[in-house]
Each structure stands twice: as structure tokens, then as C-alpha cells.
Amino acid sequence: MDIEAYRSRKKRSVAELADMLGVKPAAIYNYKYGKSMPSYEAIEKMLVDGAFLSEIFNDEVQKKVFESFNPELCPDIYNSPEFKQGVARAIEDLKKMGVIK
């Protein structure tokens, strides 16, 4: 997880990111240093906000996420333009990393 890259790219302080995710600032540091992982809800908020998969998941998890992604089975919230843009960026990231062609 590269929460620091996401936080920096979005130009948010640790406190602002923590507030957006509904966690304490200490949780952000724990994510950064691998002491804990964000909840599903926090990950969902980051993805809707435009986080890249590479900022949230390691290479192995990214590959599994992509392999199991089926837009037809997604709830309506995932049909938002923001989420679709986030998925498009994530796919581009996966292509750049050579995970997909």
C-alpha cells in the first residue's frame, strides 16, 4: 500500500485524509507503515475519490482485483462517473506495471 502517494497526490494532510476516511490520524500512519490495513469502507472511499489501485493494493492483490472485476455485477454506486474514472486509471496503472496488456 502506498497511502502516502495517494495522500500527496490529492494534496491532503494526514488529518484531512483521516477525516475523509472516518478514522483517526494514527490509522493513516498505521496504513503507511503496514501495521494495519484500511477497512473495506475506507478503501471504497479512496477508490471513489480516484485512488489508483497501486496506491491501495500490492501487485498480487491488484491482479486478483482486476481478474475478478465484473462491472455487470457491481451495485449502482460503482456506476458513478468517479468510480469508472478510478477504474480506468487503475487499469492504466496495471498496464504500465505490466500486470495486464
Side-chain angles (χ1 to χ4, degrees):
M1 164 171 253
D2 195 353
I3 192 106
E4 189 63 24
Y6 167 68
R7 187 184 70 75
S8 295
R9 188 171 57 80
K10 290 297 190 170
K11 298 180 174 131
R12 291 194 177 103
S13 69
V14 170
E16 290 169 333
L17 180 58
D19 186 53
M20 184 196 98
L21 299 179
V23 298
K24 294 182 180 183
I28 303 301
Y29 291 108
N30 287 338
Y31 304 157
K32 179 179 176 178
Y33 295 110
K35 293 182 180 181
S36 66
M37 291 295 296
S39 66
Y40 173 81
E41 291 80 14
I43 290 171
E44 183 177 44
K45 288 177 185 178
M46 287 187 280
L47 288 171
V48 169
D49 186 51
F52 300 140
L53 287 181
S54 61
E55 293 169 333
I56 300 175
F57 302 114
N58 66 30
D59 292 348
E60 182 180 336
V61 174
Q62 289 177 57
K63 185 176 179 184
K64 289 181 183 190
V65 168
F66 182 74
E67 288 171 351
S68 65
F69 180 72
N70 183 345
E72 294 175 10
L73 299 177
C74 290
D76 288 340
I77 189 171
Y78 297 111
N79 290 320
S80 71
E82 295 84 6
F83 184 78
K84 289 179 181 179
Q85 289 170 353
V87 169
R89 285 192 298 266
I91 290 170
E92 286 305 310
D93 279 355
L94 289 170
K95 286 179 182 176
K96 289 176 187 175
M97 294 177 349
V99 175
I100 60 172
K101 295 181 181 188

